[in-house]
Amino acid sequence: MKEFEARVLSCEACEEGGGFWTVLDQTCFFPEGGGQYADTGYLGETKVVDARERDGIVYHRTEAPLEPGKLVRGRIDWEERFEKMQQHTGEHIVSGLVHSRFGYNNVGFHLGSDYCTMDFDGPISPEELREIEWEANRAVALDLEVIVQYPSKEELGHMEYRSKIEIEGQVRIVSVPGYDVCACCAPHVDRTGEIGLIKLVNRMNYKGGERITMLCGFRALRDYDSKLTAAREIGALLCEKEDQIAGAVRRQKEELEKQKYENGRLMHQLLVFRAKEIPVEGSMTAVFTDDIRGDVPRELMNLLLERGAFICGVFAAAGDGGWRYVIGSRQADVRPLGKALNSRFEGRGGGKPGMVQGTLTGSEADIRAAAEGFIKGSGTEKGTE
Ligand SMILES: [Zn+2]
């Protein structure tokens, strides 16, 4: 049923989450339950955003109040509901197959708006799962009737069926002949052919068993569509056939690693030449630059110290008007200099006697003058150590 007529019995404002709880004399809205979320749709012109069951009564969460006593036409969002029925019936087949082959139970089922997961209490290998997937799709191709029964307590006593919980009252048994018999309250498709493709898209270890993610029917089609689009785009970028893109990406990645290594080697060579052109006379060798980042400033500082710089500071423009600095010396303690610059130029940072690092805000001329002034004033000049 997609549509129905019903009389409004009651309507009260929801205490939480907004809207109104509307109760009807009959409904085909499936309330949240058994791992499946509730149907949405309309009662007249009023939107139904949720449905829940308490003590055998279905409460529809409506966006507006409905007048008790009034007749309303109910309509569920059939597209959404049908997709859920596809997922749910697919889940029965997969769970039934896993149960009969391995004896594992489905200990968790989640049917969300985007994907569906099921948890089994034992390990399944990728190869075994692939076999289960193919077997499940054979059940779809057979277009079997999905049978719903309401057996008496006595009949139930002789039946073999899967069930997650002890059920009180009337038990509803849903069977896919040859594949699964299970106690379930949720809506399913009439024939397995309606499920369409059953695709197990992911598996992960979960509490010593498996959590399997599944897509059925139209959801599987949408997934195929988006993956094909991505594969085509990647293929076009790499000038490769869609089924060859993994190898092409691997080769590109290897090539990139090689280039990165080569780039690093050339950068170092360039830095050696650059360091040779910088004069290292006087007490302080200060380099201000806007084209190096990462570890390179420190590398340049070390090259200049190797060439005999007494104290060396490399100031790399940080892009926000500030500088990232590294100051080092092989003879003097540079911590007091770092401290003095930090306090004068809103700086941060610190380090060891031989090297300090941090950030500063100020002009090149001011920082240069302040550093030289401090070195003179503190008596840490070259030749006085
Ligand atoms: Zn079910």
Side-chain angles (χ1 to χ4, degrees), residues 64-92:
L66 290 161
E67 201 185 311
K70 236 180 110 179
L71 271 179
V72 285
R73 186 137 197 94
R75 180 161 49 90
I76 61 171
D77 181 337
W78 180 249
E79 218 170 288
E80 187 193 14
R81 157 72 93 82
F82 185 71
E83 280 188 18
K84 282 188 284 186
M85 298 193 326
Q86 287 184 313
Q87 315 308 308
H88 200 134
T89 318
E91 183 263 327
H92 275 253

Side-chain angles (χ1 to χ4, degrees), residues 184-360:
C184 186
C185 65
H188 309 80
V189 294
D190 287 335
R191 304 192 73 89
T192 58
E194 293 174 73
I195 300 168
L197 178 66
I198 296 175
K199 186 68 197 161
L200 307 178
V201 290
N202 201 14
R203 92 177 236 289
M204 58 182 275
N205 294 334
Y206 184 77
K207 292 181 176 172
E210 302 289 337
R211 169 164 287 182
I212 290 161
T213 307
M214 176 188 73
L215 293 167
C216 291
F218 292 119
R219 285 190 185 178
L221 180 61
R222 263 198 295 280
D223 184 60
Y224 188 107
D225 202 38
S226 78
K227 279 172 182 156
L228 183 63
T229 303
R232 275 213 183 112
E233 248 178 74
I234 297 167
L237 287 167
L238 298 172
C239 299
E240 278 286 354
K241 284 185 190 147
E242 286 144 29
D243 60 348
Q244 303 288 321
I245 56 177
V249 169
R250 196 178 306 115
R251 285 193 297 279
Q252 289 237 336
K253 242 187 126 175
E254 284 163 6
E255 184 58 29
L256 193 66
E257 285 302 313
K258 258 191 244 162
Q259 301 273 2
K260 261 192 198 158
Y261 177 79
E262 184 61 12
N263 198 23
R265 200 182 62 81
L266 290 172
M267 274 296 287
H268 181 76
Q269 252 180 30
L270 198 65
L271 215 57
V272 170
F273 285 115
R274 193 165 167 176
K276 274 186 188 157
E277 290 189 347
I278 297 168
V280 291
E281 295 135 9
S283 301
M284 171 86 179
T285 302
V287 182
F288 287 79
T289 166
D290 61 1
D291 65 349
I292 56 175
R293 47 189 64 81
D295 274 344
V296 183
R298 186 172 157 176
E299 215 180 322
L300 181 59
M301 179 198 76
N302 281 326
L303 285 167
L304 291 168
L305 291 176
E306 257 164 49
R307 281 195 50 226
F310 178 62
I311 294 174
C312 177
V314 177
F315 302 80
D320 53 1
W323 304 92
R324 298 187 68 82
Y325 72 84
V326 50
I327 300 170
S329 176
R330 299 207 169 151
Q331 286 133 302
D333 183 349
V334 293
R335 286 175 302 178
L337 172 60
K339 236 182 188 168
L341 292 176
N342 283 346
S343 70
R344 167 109 190 251
F345 298 100
E346 302 163 44
R348 280 160 176 267
K352 289 181 254 176
M355 189 182 81
V356 291
Q357 298 182 82
T359 55
L360 298 174

Side-chain angles (χ1 to χ4, degrees), residues 92 145-156 158-162 167 169-178 180-186 188-190:
H92 275 253
E145 188 187 354
V146 178
I147 298 162
V148 175
Q149 290 166 286
Y150 295 91
S152 67
K153 266 227 151 69
E154 231 225 304
E155 289 171 312
L156 203 61
H158 304 296
M159 284 178 94
E160 279 276 339
Y161 64 98
R162 295 190 301 114
I167 304 159
Q170 179 64 62
V171 175
R172 181 174 183 257
I173 296 289
V174 177
S175 313
V176 180
D180 188 42
V181 182
C182 182
C184 186
C185 65
H188 309 80
V189 294
D190 287 335

